[in-house]
Structure formats: structure tokens, C-alpha cells
Amino acid sequence: MPAQPALKPLNTDQLKTVCSSCSLRELCLPMGLSETEIERLDQLVSTRRRIKRGENVYRAGDPFASLYAIRSGFFKSNVILEDGRDQVTGFHMPGEIVGMDGISTDRHACNATALEDSEVCVIPFARLEEASRQVRSLQRQFHKVMSREIVRDQGVMMLLGTMRAEERLAAFLLNLSQRFVARGYSPAEFHLRMTREEIGSYLGLKLETVSRIFSKFQDEGLIGVQQKHIRILHVDGLKAMLGHHT
Amino acid sequence: MPAQPALKPLNTDQLKTVCSSCSLRELCLPMGLSETEIERLDQLVSTRRRIKRGENVYRAGDPFASLYAIRSGFFKSNVILEDGRDQVTGFHMPGEIVGMDGISTDRHACNATALEDSEVCVIPFARLEEASRQVRSLQRQFHKVMSREIVRDQGVMMLLGTMRAEERLAAFLLNLSQRFVARGYSPAEFHLRMTREEIGSYLGLKLETVSRIFSKFQDEGLIGVQQKHIRILHVDGLKAMLGHHT
DNA sequence: CGTTGCGTTGAATAAGGTCAAATAGAGTGG
DNA sequence: CCACTCTATTTGACCTTATTCAACGCAACG
């Protein structure tokens, strides 16, 4: 065998990634790290994986080995219930990290399914732990990422526990909008990658209810909806819905 | 000032704690650690704090400095909403760790309120991070604890998103029962430390609904209820309720 | 022994869910 | 490029569930 690994063709789905030159570094794990520290991260985040729409990065029950930073595309986390229904527990976009559910039992607790053709950076967990034993700021940053996930989940619990259907949808749209802005996209106009059913599952509503409320918001001039294309026309109107529990 | 710190009287609420001799060590942070490693933990978990019923270990907005391992007693995590309502996001019992919500922003995101006179072990976070840079298994264990919290929250999201009122109550009782068993208490008979309103808040139901369903379960012979005293009479009956979404 | 907070219960109501039918797009194969 | 299929979405009518509002009981406590 000739020793030419560097000339290995690139037509596999394993590509070289570098955090230091990644446009998402201010949203992702490298956030707040120095140049040198990010280079340490580059050493461990060595491969990317392409995930086609409908495929999974991992499935519930899979052995846990890595975290995944979303580089492009859009994902849902979901669990298939005994009765076959697909319960959505989150939506994830570029710069976010998925897979942390697997750490506790060494097996993943849910699926991470691509809602469009996507790409993730593979972060081998053992190497991340090793690096974060060496680099204090990386350790801190990783802990913050996990904690942020906990706080985010608690936010969803509050949404599900206290809000009525219209508030949930309004909160959902505002949240998406915010996250798009942070990634340099328009806050007012975006494309939903998920179906009404997935939105409903995530928000604890039926798809018909989601559809009806979108229509209602449209009639009230708050948003424009055309299938998956959303245009927010009156942000303050949506914000005003939050906290009006009756 | 005489140098006699060792003779300092014990009538403060700061007491010496040792994980190595703690009866909860198999549920708590020391889980799975060796004797030597637990001793390293002893060095940093140096103080206990007593929290009286109704008082908070920390409040939303407080600067984050420590995690807290519950040594005895019972807590709720909660957020006070703008309109003054108290939204409960979790119940916590001995051996569980609270405060991880504070890591992400260096401020706590919720309150941790004692539902009865309680005691917590203070785990200064900077020192925990330091120790977990040195002790690989401690690092791993801490990450598992955080991940478990993420998985737990997702379980609650599924409960709120998919279950009807009776299922929620059944799941709630079974969950409490399980956690009591793990702590050496009876699985079948226990005392609720929280009010119907707090249960309802946690489960996304009104207190009247909680009360009604307890009565219904009692009529059906599934449980015995007398105020806050609960006796589970027919575990399988409760389990059978889960997954019957209609 | 009245007060106060918590829990239970009933009746009326509203919010969402269920069922069903019609429509609109996206993708496919000819 | 068109017809066809399949899936997603919208909308209406009706029904179930949980909430709301209200009254009352109970236990703890000063």
C-alpha cells in the first residue's frame, strides 16, 4: 500500500473541518476562546458528516461516542413512542450542538433527524473531555453549552405548562425569528423546514390547531403564511400575545 | 484573636460534610468513584447549609457560584412569572444536584425553594471544575449528572406534550414512587411535600383537576389519598394508564 | 374560636381535539 | 411537459376534556 493518505480523494462524506475559520464560531463551541485555544479544538473536531434529509445523525439507543455541531441545515430531535407516534423534543440549527442526551447512559436517548440536507462536525466526546481537562476555557465553554441546553428545556417546559395554544405559536415564531437573526438571516421572513405536525408535536398541539392559528394570525395581520413560507408582519403584536393567559 | 478555628462552635449553619461517609454517595456526585477519588471530592465539598421550609437556596438572578447537592429535605425549582404566578419546573430530593441552570449565564435562571426544612452540601463550582480537570472519573460523572438533567427535562416535555391529565398524574406518582425506593423509602406509601397547586403547575394542570383526578384514582381503587398522604394500592393499574392516550 | 390556607366537589363554559372532506403543492414516471 | 400520486395543509362541524367560577369542608394555629 502506498503511503499517500494526504492524496485520499474527497468524494467520501468525511471532510476536513476547521473551527478557526468557521463562520459559526461565535455561536458554537469555540465561542469566547482565543486563537490558540481554538486551534486545540481543531485537533479534535476533525471530520464532517453529510446527512441527507430524513436521515439521522444518531438514533435512540445508539451507543454514544460523539457530539455533533451543526454546520449547515436543520434538525429535529425526536423520540418514536411505543404507539409509533413521533414526538418532537427540539429543533436545531447551525451552530448548535446535539447529542448531549447520550452522555448520561452512554446511549442516545432520542433521534436527531435532518429536516433538510445538512452537515455536522463530529466531536469525539472522549477527546473533548481530554481537551477540556487541558484547556480551562474550553471546559467552561462546554459546561455553558450543556447548561444552556438545560435552561432551554426548562423554557419549553414553561411554555407547555403555562401557555395557551396561541401564545405557544407566537413564542415559537419569535424564538425561531431570534435564532435566525443570530445567524445573519432575516428576522421577518423565513422558511419553516418542519411540517405542521412536527410543530404541533413540539408544542403539544394537534396539527389542525397549528394550521388554524396560523390562519388566525394571518387574518389579524400579524403574519403572512404561505405553506412553509412565513413573514412576520407585526412583531410587537406577537410579543403582546405572550403573558396574556386569557 | 486566638488561632483556634478548630474549636469554632457548631451553632452556625456551616457544618463539615464528607462525601466518603455519606449514605447518599451512590445516588449523588460520588457515584462510581473510587475511595481516593471521593476523598478528592471531600476537599471541595466543605460546607453544608440548612434551608428552612419556604426559603431559597438561590433565586433567579442570583450570581452563580456553586452547585448544591441535596442532603436531606425536599425542594422545588420554580420561576416567578411577570404576572406573579409561581411556575414549578421540578421537584428534587436527597442525592440530587441543583443549580446547574446557573452555569450558562453565571446567574441562576430559577429559584430553588425548600418544601420542608432541608440541608444541602455546597459545591463551589470553580473548585469542581478544577477537580474535574484533575480527576477524569469525576469529570465524567459530573458530565453524566448534567446530561441526566437534560434527559429528565426532555421526559417532562414529552409528558406535557403528549399525555392527558390522568396519564400525567399517574406518571407523576410512579416517578415519585421510584425515586423514593431508590432512597430506601417505601414505594407504596409516601408524603407529598407539595400542594395540589404546585403539582398542577408542574404538570400543566389546574389544582382542581389534580384534586379531581386523585379522587377518581381513589374511587377506582388505584390509590389511597388523605390530604398529602398517598398510598399506592395498585401499581400495575397506574402503569396501565400510561400510553392510553384516549 | 375565628382565621387562614389547602383541598374537594359541582355546574357551566371554553379551548382544543377528533373526524371528515376539500384543496394545494411537490415529486415521479411516462 | 403533463398526468398522476402522495403528502401536507386548510377548513368546517361536532365532541371531549380540562378550566373557570363558586361554594363548602377540613385542619392547623394564634
Side-chain angles (χ1 to χ4, degrees):
Chain A
M1 254 192 273
Q4 295 190 334
L7 293 181
K8 192 179 174 190
L10 282 175
N11 61 355
T12 71
D13 59 358
Q14 305 272 316
L15 301 172
K16 178 68 187 153
T17 312
V18 234
C19 297
S20 33
S21 63
C22 178
S23 63
L24 293 164
R25 69 178 175 284
E26 283 312 312
L27 288 166
C28 191
L29 204 48
M31 190 175 103
L33 301 190
S34 72
E35 280 302 314
T36 336
E37 289 159 350
I38 296 187
E39 277 162 26
R40 179 70 185 80
L41 202 52
D42 285 341
Q43 292 168 29
L44 67 103
V45 183
S46 54
T47 60
R48 289 206 296 244
R49 247 176 79 193
R50 292 186 204 283
I51 315 285
K52 282 212 196 314
R53 175 186 166 145
E55 291 180 353
N56 291 287
V57 189
Y58 53 82
R59 288 166 191 271
D62 281 356
F64 166 74
S66 303
L67 301 179
Y68 303 89
I70 302 174
R71 185 161 169 99
S72 68
F74 209 96
F75 289 84
K76 65 174 175 182
S77 332
N78 61 313
V79 180
I80 308 297
L81 302 174
E82 332 71 51
D83 57 15
R85 274 176 318 147
D86 174 339
Q87 168 67 29
V88 176
T89 57
F91 295 109
H92 311 286
M93 45 178 87
E96 296 176 352
I97 309 241
V98 297
M100 294 179 286
D101 55 277
I103 301 171
S104 70
T105 59
D106 288 316
R107 294 200 170 266
H108 284 286
C110 62
N111 310 315
T113 311
L115 294 177
E116 60 184 25
D117 292 356
S118 303
E119 217 168 34
V120 296
C121 301
V122 180
I123 310 174
F125 188 63
R127 301 186 61 187
L128 175 62
E129 281 193 324
E130 189 195 341
S132 75
R133 268 180 267 122
Q134 296 159 2
V135 182
R136 183 194 298 233
S137 56
L138 176 60
Q139 179 192 41
R140 198 75 228 283
Q141 182 54 24
F142 171 54
H143 290 162
K144 287 196 179 200
V145 168
M146 288 205 92
S147 172
R148 203 191 304 156
E149 175 88 6
I150 291 172
V151 173
R152 191 187 67 83
D153 287 353
Q154 289 179 353
V156 177
M157 288 170 50
M158 301 221 328
L159 177 145
L160 292 170
T162 68
M163 294 187 184
R164 36 196 34 274
E166 293 185 10
E167 290 178 271
R168 294 184 197 186
L169 252 311
F172 173 73
L173 291 174
L174 289 170
N175 175 271
L176 276 186
S177 163
Q178 250 183 264
R179 288 155 77 193
F180 281 124
V181 180
R183 281 155 187 81
Y185 299 108
S186 163
E189 201 164 354
F190 46 84
H191 184 82
L192 297 174
R193 331 288 158 129
M194 69 294 276
T195 66
R196 303 285 189 265
E197 184 161 25
E198 287 164 337
I199 297 173
S201 171
Y202 179 61
L203 296 178
L205 302 170
K206 292 294 156 183
L207 70 94
E208 295 94 330
T209 306
V210 174
S211 177
R212 264 187 259 273
I213 293 177
F214 274 163
S215 301
K216 179 155 180 285
F217 282 178
Q218 178 156 244
D219 293 347
E220 294 170 349
L222 293 170
I223 63 174
V225 195
Q226 199 165 20
Q227 299 286 124
K228 293 202 155 71
H229 185 84
I230 297 280
R231 183 196 290 262
I232 295 183
L233 301 171
H234 187 15
V235 201
D236 295 337
L238 285 178
K239 285 186 182 156
M241 305 214 60
L242 307 182
H244 287 278
H245 303 285
T246 320
Chain B
M1 253 195 275
Q4 296 190 336
L7 293 181
K8 192 179 173 190
L10 282 175
N11 60 357
T12 71
D13 59 358
Q14 306 271 315
L15 301 172
K16 179 68 188 155
T17 312
V18 237
C19 298
S20 33
S21 63
C22 178
S23 63
L24 292 164
R25 70 178 173 285
E26 283 312 312
L27 288 166
C28 193
L29 203 49
M31 190 177 104
L33 301 190
S34 72
E35 280 303 314
T36 335
E37 289 159 350
I38 297 187
E39 277 162 29
R40 180 69 185 80
L41 202 52
D42 285 341
Q43 292 169 30
L44 66 102
V45 184
S46 55
T47 59
R48 290 206 297 243
R49 249 177 75 194
R50 293 186 204 283
I51 315 286
K52 281 211 197 314
R53 176 186 164 142
E55 290 180 352
N56 292 287
V57 188
Y58 54 82
R59 289 166 190 270
D62 281 357
F64 166 74
S66 302
L67 302 179
Y68 304 89
I70 302 174
R71 186 164 167 98
S72 68
F74 208 96
F75 289 84
K76 65 173 175 183
S77 333
N78 61 314
V79 179
I80 308 296
L81 302 173
E82 331 70 50
D83 56 15
R85 274 175 320 147
D86 174 338
Q87 167 66 28
V88 177
T89 58
F91 295 110
H92 311 285
M93 44 179 85
E96 297 176 350
I97 309 239
V98 298
M100 294 179 287
D101 55 277
I103 300 170
S104 70
T105 59
D106 288 317
R107 296 200 168 265
H108 284 287
C110 62
N111 310 315
T113 312
L115 295 177
E116 61 185 24
D117 292 357
S118 304
E119 217 168 34
V120 296
C121 303
V122 180
I123 310 174
F125 188 62
R127 300 186 61 188
L128 175 62
E129 283 194 324
E130 189 194 341
S132 74
R133 267 180 268 123
Q134 295 158 3
V135 183
R136 184 194 298 235
S137 56
L138 175 60
Q139 180 193 39
R140 197 77 228 282
Q141 181 55 24
F142 171 54
H143 290 161
K144 288 195 179 201
V145 168
M146 287 205 93
S147 173
R148 204 192 303 156
E149 175 88 5
I150 290 173
V151 173
R152 190 186 69 81
D153 287 352
Q154 289 179 353
V156 177
M157 286 170 51
M158 300 221 330
L159 178 145
L160 292 170
T162 68
M163 295 187 183
R164 35 198 29 275
E166 293 185 9
E167 290 179 88
R168 293 185 197 185
L169 251 311
F172 175 72
L173 290 174
L174 290 169
N175 175 272
L176 276 186
S177 164
Q178 249 182 267
R179 287 155 78 192
F180 280 124
V181 180
R183 282 155 186 81
Y185 298 109
S186 164
E189 202 165 353
F190 47 85
H191 184 82
L192 298 174
R193 330 288 156 129
M194 70 294 279
T195 66
R196 302 287 189 265
E197 184 163 23
E198 286 163 337
I199 297 172
S201 172
Y202 179 61
L203 297 178
L205 302 170
K206 293 294 156 185
L207 70 95
E208 294 95 329
T209 307
V210 173
S211 178
R212 263 187 259 274
I213 292 177
F214 274 162
S215 301
K216 179 155 181 283
F217 283 178
Q218 177 156 245
D219 293 347
E220 295 170 347
L222 294 170
I223 64 174
V225 194
Q226 200 164 22
Q227 299 286 124
K228 292 200 155 68
H229 185 86
I230 297 281
R231 182 194 292 262
I232 294 184
L233 301 172
H234 187 16
V235 202
D236 294 337
L238 285 178
K239 284 185 181 157
M241 306 213 60
L242 307 183
H244 288 281
H245 304 286
T246 319

